[in-house]
Amino acid sequence: MKDYNVNKSEAEWKEQLGLERYKILRQKGTEFPHSGKYNMHFEEGTYVCGACGEPLFASDSKFNSSCGWPSFDEALPGKIEYVKDTSHGMIRTEIMCANCGGHLGHVFDDGPTQTGQRYCVNSLSVDFKE
């Protein structure tokens, strides 16, 4: 197990996060497409980790990808950990909070902006701060 700045037992995470968020952030789950409260949310501010509050994405990096999950074209520098994910019979890049190891979603090289990136994030894995 990797040592993060924020380390808690699974029991502590489950108590803090509740079952839905725990499933996403700690068990690498995925919410249903078009179900998250931040999917079509475009206010100015910062998206932070839903587990530890670490800033992850600026609102000006968010775009409507029509994929059903909040999408960003870049993360704040040094805030994301990238892990090769070979689950579900495919090769993807998992994105995790570099501060606590919380699962956020995946990043793909099919973004429509200058970066060419699409950070596909579960709404339950983030909070929003104005």
Side-chain angles (χ1 to χ4, degrees):
M1 189 166 146
K2 184 175 175 179
D3 190 31
Y4 291 97
N5 291 333
V6 176
N7 289 294
K8 297 182 181 189
S9 70
E10 290 308 305
E12 289 172 315
W13 281 123
K14 192 178 284 187
E15 182 178 331
Q16 174 191 325
L17 299 172
L19 292 178
E20 282 188 312
R21 285 190 124 181
Y22 179 81
K23 180 181 174 189
I24 302 295
L25 283 157
R26 305 308 304 172
Q27 295 183 316
K28 304 179 187 290
T30 302
E31 64 194 6
F32 290 107
H34 306 285
S35 68
K37 74 179 187 176
Y38 296 123
N39 182 37
M40 297 304 292
H41 179 265
F42 293 99
E43 294 181 26
E44 288 186 32
T46 304
Y47 293 85
V48 302
C49 177
C52 71
E54 186 74 9
L56 301 172
F57 301 99
S59 61
D60 63 359
S61 69
K62 191 169 187 306
F63 65 95
N64 181 5
S65 68
S66 300
C67 71
W69 291 275
S71 296
F72 303 86
D73 67 359
E74 66 182 349
L76 294 174
K79 301 300 183 171
I80 301 293
E81 180 178 4
Y82 302 87
V83 178
K84 184 178 181 178
D85 177 3
T86 58
S87 65
H88 306 291
M90 60 184 110
I91 299 172
R92 302 179 290 175
T93 302
E94 177 185 6
I95 52 174
M96 298 166 53
C97 173
N99 193 52
C100 72
H103 171 76
L104 304 169
H106 293 86
V107 63
F108 302 97
D109 293 326
D110 62 1
T113 70
Q114 260 185 341
T115 69
Q117 302 289 295
R118 178 173 54 93
Y119 287 77
C120 187
V121 177
N122 291 288
S123 285
L124 285 169
S125 68
V126 294
D127 288 318
F128 180 77
K129 306 288 182 191
E130 288 185 13

